[in-house]
Amino acid sequence: MKPLFYGAIAPLLLSGCGSFLVLKPVAGPLAQEREYHGIDLKLRGPRMITTSNQHGASRAVFPDDTKCPGRWRVLSPQAAAREPIITDLMARFRFKEVALAGEVAFVDQLGRRVQWAHASAQCDDGLQLSVFFVVSATSDAGRGEARDNRSNVFEVW
């Protein structure tokens, strides 16, 4: 599937009880492997909406069928504002940090509010995966970036 397709279906996937994201390697050792198709990140739990109390279980599924458990949660705007990777992603996606009713909030290019989420997974072999992605009703939902503790960087769709 093409990234454009993922961007089109991500809002639908993130609106149900079970959702998934695709992590495509863009830098690091895995990006050099032409045959490496990426990682599926399955998210389970309550319906993902833009409130910071949403959370649930995650599971990374690798091409060799290795499965690694973890957790996901929607970040409060204050917590998201403290994450350096989110600051970088906001500049890349052209999001803005604004004050709404005296609170920190994030908006896309059209002024629509977006929220950030974080997922993690831990494998038995020591691999740790950390994923930051957009949760919203916009076409940006699901976009983000992931990193592992083996110098790999992934684009999230």
Side-chain angles (χ1 to χ4, degrees):
M1 287 193 221
K2 302 274 187 225
L4 178 61
F5 179 69
Y6 291 130
I9 65 170
L12 299 173
L13 296 174
L14 293 174
S15 65
C17 293
S19 306
F20 78 92
L21 300 170
V22 176
L23 286 56
K24 177 95 171 121
V26 294
L30 291 179
Q32 306 306 315
E33 294 182 26
R34 289 202 175 278
E35 303 288 318
Y36 200 87
H37 293 53
I39 301 167
D40 289 337
L41 183 67
K42 297 181 179 185
L43 308 170
R44 296 177 197 221
R47 182 181 177 98
M48 290 187 77
I49 57 175
T50 59
T51 59
S52 47
N53 62 352
Q54 297 296 306
H55 58 88
S58 65
R59 183 172 59 170
V61 180
F62 292 81
D64 66 359
D65 208 32
T66 299
K67 295 174 178 77
C68 304
R71 305 282 306 158
W72 68 265
R73 66 184 167 89
V74 176
L75 299 171
S76 71
Q78 294 78 12
R82 290 189 299 268
E83 289 291 341
I85 191 169
I86 290 177
T87 302
D88 178 51
L89 290 171
M90 285 189 42
R92 212 177 318 160
F93 298 161
R94 296 189 180 132
F95 291 169
K96 294 179 182 166
E97 184 175 320
V98 298
L100 293 176
E103 297 288 326
V104 173
F106 305 105
V107 295
D108 66 10
Q109 293 175 354
L110 300 175
R112 299 173 296 194
R113 191 171 180 166
V114 297
Q115 190 103 0
W116 291 93
H118 176 257
S120 62
Q122 174 86 32
C123 301
D124 289 339
D125 67 357
L127 179 88
Q128 296 175 356
L129 188 62
S130 180
V131 185
F132 289 93
F133 58 97
V134 176
V135 182
S136 76
T138 72
S139 61
D140 290 308
R143 287 181 64 197
E145 185 173 286
R147 295 173 185 254
D148 68 16
N149 61 340
R150 295 182 180 160
S151 302
N152 293 296
V153 178
F154 304 86
E155 184 175 46
V156 177
W157 288 100

